[in-house]
Amino acid sequence: MASKQQRGEPLVAKILEATLEEVARVGYENLSIEAVAERAAVNKTTIYRRWETPEALVLAAFARVSDQDSFPNTGSLRGDLLDYLRRYRAVCRSPVVLSLMRMLFAGSGGTGELCKVIQERIERSECNALVMFERAVARGELPKDTDMPLVRDLLLGSARNLILFRHDTCTDETLERVVDVMLLGAAEGGRRKKSARR
């Protein structure tokens, strides 16, 4: 049972942490609110008052650990991308998040609403990630006519594939190589456009 003093944010954090631990132990499909309540040492009605279903509980837990809405501003696109990808990799080292993300990207289905919410968060994050490339164009790091959505998709897609499916070998050095190769290609594409116009 939760102590009377344990309310608000500390209680929510404890329950969501217990949720992630249970998903890691038994998988999403076998998660029960009763088991989460036991692990968190709270009454199950405490959980039901906030989250009516296991799915809602997992969604809240996922949102808590996968928040990528803030983007770094290191002064260079290379620095911004490396900082972002390192934080993304750190989040994905959670067994639960890694499992959910692999489920989504592998197209294995899973529960519809959960996949939908995860996909929406990823799409919103990718849309917001354009700010890093917009700043780079303004600083002159990328040509003004850079196809920013394409460069973003190629770069982040390649890095995320390594993080999710080759995470054991996805070192800082690997991320640096990916970023450098993609940025070199983006710059080269800009030079070719200029040459073609001459």
Side-chain angles (χ1 to χ4, degrees):
M1 301 288 287
S3 66
K4 291 182 179 179
Q5 291 76 26
Q6 193 173 34
R7 298 179 184 276
E9 176 58 26
L11 179 59
V12 168
K14 184 177 183 180
I15 292 171
L16 295 183
E17 181 179 354
T19 300
L20 294 175
E21 291 171 353
E22 274 298 297
V23 172
R25 187 179 72 87
V26 302
Y28 171 72
E29 297 296 335
N30 297 316
L31 182 73
S32 73
I33 287 182
E34 289 76 10
V36 172
E38 183 177 350
R39 179 178 287 273
V42 301
N43 194 302
K44 64 182 180 181
T45 58
T46 301
I47 298 178
Y48 279 115
R49 278 197 296 268
R50 292 173 170 83
W51 306 281
E52 295 182 356
T53 64
E55 183 175 74
L57 187 58
V58 173
L59 289 175
F62 177 80
R64 190 179 189 89
V65 299
S66 64
D67 187 5
Q68 289 279 325
D69 291 338
S70 61
F71 291 89
N73 189 0
T74 65
S76 74
L77 179 57
R78 185 178 189 274
D80 290 350
L81 290 169
L82 288 174
D83 186 274
Y84 172 79
L85 291 172
R86 285 168 184 147
R87 287 192 286 119
Y88 183 85
R89 182 182 60 188
V91 168
C92 287
R93 280 180 172 162
S94 159
V96 178
V97 174
L98 186 61
S99 175
L100 291 173
M101 297 293 276
R102 281 175 170 172
M103 175 187 73
L104 178 68
F105 284 107
S108 58
T111 301
E113 186 61 24
L114 179 61
C115 282
K116 179 182 176 182
V117 170
I118 294 173
Q119 183 64 53
E120 287 174 352
R121 289 184 64 83
I122 291 171
E123 290 174 357
R124 184 170 67 249
S125 176
E126 289 181 347
C127 182
N128 293 341
L130 281 176
V131 69
M132 295 186 289
F133 297 90
E134 291 166 354
R135 289 195 301 247
V137 170
R139 288 190 297 255
E141 295 177 88
L142 291 176
K144 290 183 179 180
D145 58 354
T146 295
D147 187 340
M148 288 185 283
L150 176 63
V151 174
R152 174 205 59 193
D153 291 347
L154 289 172
L155 199 155
L156 297 185
S158 298
R160 285 173 172 168
N161 183 71
L162 290 171
I163 289 169
L164 293 174
F165 298 100
R166 300 184 184 178
H167 66 286
D168 291 337
T169 59
C170 189
T171 63
D172 283 354
E173 183 181 355
T174 300
L175 291 179
E176 289 171 7
R177 288 203 302 269
V178 170
V179 169
D180 289 341
V181 166
M182 290 297 180
L183 291 184
L184 180 63
E188 180 64 24
R191 284 193 289 271
R192 288 183 178 179
K193 285 183 181 178
K194 289 180 181 178
S195 297
R197 288 195 293 265
R198 290 174 183 169

